[in-house]
Amino acid sequence: MASVQHDGGPVLLTLELTSGGADEIGSVRKIDLNDGGIRLILSLPRLIDGEQANLTAALLFQQMERLPENAQVERVKLASLQFTAEGVIGIQGFLSLHAPTVKHVSFKDMLKEEYKQEDAEAFAALGSAFQTSTHLETLNLSDNAISGSMWENWSNHTGLRQLILDYVRMDDSSVVELHR
């Protein structure tokens, strides 16, 4: 099941986890990209608890075992999902394992304006999975309500070239923390 490689380098992966509106976790779809990369897409329920996060990680590990040994995660996209505290813990291990090679992170439409404090804490905690990502270039937090606690998990990424904040709602503490 080898994919086309570009320039003899690693096979670059995009992991896309998104809410499909279903109540159950779907199967992993694999798309071979024209540039030799691979996109793995997994449709999830909107709210991810610990058990669902563990199952998600297991499905992704299983799919990744079938990929070439030189495959590495370059992009992580999470969209329209909400994690419980247990769900964050369940997915953090998987994300942290691949964080060193990640260059692009997108957390879109995950925290609505009417969020509860525990939702904001879970959303912010997802960022801690990328603390070891030394190559992070792009962070997209569009379509979210962002609190001040979000920025502490991204502050060590000094190589960040692009911060995308389209249609965000930020409270005063978030604006202050962003400027630090």
Side-chain angles (χ1 to χ4, degrees):
M1 203 183 240
S3 296
V4 178
Q5 298 177 28
H6 51 81
D7 300 331
V11 175
L12 301 177
L13 298 178
T14 296
L15 300 179
E16 191 172 317
L17 309 179
T18 184
S19 174
D23 293 333
E24 297 180 2
I25 296 173
S27 61
V28 178
R29 290 187 338 210
K30 176 181 170 263
I31 299 173
D32 290 313
L33 304 174
N34 292 337
D35 65 359
I38 297 173
R39 194 166 129 200
L40 298 179
I41 304 168
L42 183 55
S43 182
L44 301 168
R46 170 83 175 152
L47 182 64
I48 307 299
D49 62 19
E51 183 179 333
Q52 291 166 322
N54 290 333
L55 179 57
T56 298
L59 285 170
L60 290 169
F61 274 126
Q62 183 181 47
Q63 185 66 38
M64 290 179 73
E65 286 178 353
R66 299 178 185 156
L67 299 175
E69 285 186 29
N70 64 341
Q72 66 184 34
V73 178
E74 179 186 44
R75 296 175 184 274
V76 174
K77 298 178 180 182
L78 279 66
S80 302
L81 299 172
Q82 181 181 359
F83 287 82
T84 65
E86 294 81 16
V88 170
I89 293 168
I91 201 70
Q92 272 180 330
F94 176 83
L95 294 175
S96 295
L97 180 64
H98 298 286
T101 62
V102 172
K103 291 183 179 181
H104 310 280
V105 173
S106 179
F107 290 169
K108 289 183 74 175
D109 187 31
M110 295 180 58
L111 192 61
K112 301 294 185 189
E113 192 166 353
E114 64 280 353
Y115 66 83
K116 299 177 190 140
Q117 184 60 33
E118 60 265 17
D119 296 335
E121 290 168 3
F123 181 58
L126 280 172
S128 68
F130 296 95
Q131 291 296 324
T132 60
S133 178
T134 57
H135 303 292
L136 192 66
E137 296 176 5
T138 305
L139 175 60
N140 185 345
L141 299 175
S142 295
D143 300 313
N144 287 298
I146 300 175
S147 65
S149 62
M150 183 58 157
W151 301 116
E152 72 184 50
N153 290 314
W154 301 103
S155 62
N156 69 322
H157 296 291
T158 57
L160 196 64
R161 293 183 188 165
Q162 188 174 30
L163 176 62
I164 304 169
L165 299 172
D166 292 335
Y167 305 105
V168 297
R169 291 152 312 283
M170 295 172 55
D171 59 20
D172 290 343
S173 70
S174 184
V175 173
V176 169
E177 289 300 318
L178 175 61
H179 286 87
R180 284 189 183 187

